[in-house]
Amino acid sequence: MQLRHGADFEQLAMSNSDDNQALKGGDLGWRSLGQLPTIFVDVVKTMAKGDVADAIRSPSGFHIIKLVDVKGALGPTGEHSVTQTKVR
């Protein structure tokens, strides 16, 4: 997969995606897990900053997500208690 070898996500989204966010480079902005499409939530929970997920299939097509960054307070066990993710 080109993205895992350093290809530019924004450029690939603009040239290959039919999604409404394609012209924005696929950027979904900062969102809490509850604000993400439900098909992304379980995948994003397991990702680290910079990870690119395998393709996710839905009735509207295939989705590839990249976790750009995570911010929030760390809980007592080291997990983010209030997590916002920036995904593309």
Side-chain angles (χ1 to χ4, degrees), residues 58-76:
S58 80
S60 61
F62 290 91
H63 309 274
I64 299 173
I65 56 176
K66 177 178 181 177
L67 182 62
V68 177
D69 205 353
V70 176
K71 66 181 179 181
L74 288 179

Side-chain angles (χ1 to χ4, degrees), residues 6 9 11 17 27-29 38 41 43 54 63 69-70:
F9 194 102
Q11 292 298 318
S17 178
D27 195 342
L28 298 178
T38 55
V41 173
V43 175
D54 291 333
H63 309 274
D69 205 353
V70 176

Side-chain angles (χ1 to χ4, degrees), residues 1-7 9 12 52-55 63-65:
M1 175 183 283
Q2 296 174 12
L3 292 171
R4 291 193 176 131
H5 296 290
F9 194 102
L12 288 174
V52 176
D54 291 333
H63 309 274
I64 299 173
I65 56 176

Side-chain angles (χ1 to χ4, degrees), residues 2-80:
Q2 296 174 12
L3 292 171
R4 291 193 176 131
H5 296 290
D8 186 89
F9 194 102
E10 287 182 55
Q11 292 298 318
L12 288 174
M14 286 189 271
S15 61
N16 294 295
S17 178
D18 294 330
D19 187 75
N20 294 336
Q21 300 299 322
L23 295 179
K24 295 180 183 177
D27 195 342
L28 298 178
W30 286 102
R31 297 186 183 205
S32 66
L33 288 176
Q35 294 171 317
L36 287 173
T38 55
I39 62 169
F40 295 170
V41 173
D42 288 338
V43 175
V44 169
K45 284 181 185 178
T46 66
M47 296 174 71
K49 181 179 172 179
D51 284 354
V52 176
D54 291 333
I56 301 168
R57 187 177 189 163
S58 80
S60 61
F62 290 91
H63 309 274
I64 299 173
I65 56 176
K66 177 178 181 177
L67 182 62
V68 177
D69 205 353
V70 176
K71 66 181 179 181
L74 288 179
T77 58
E79 79 281 356
H80 285 81

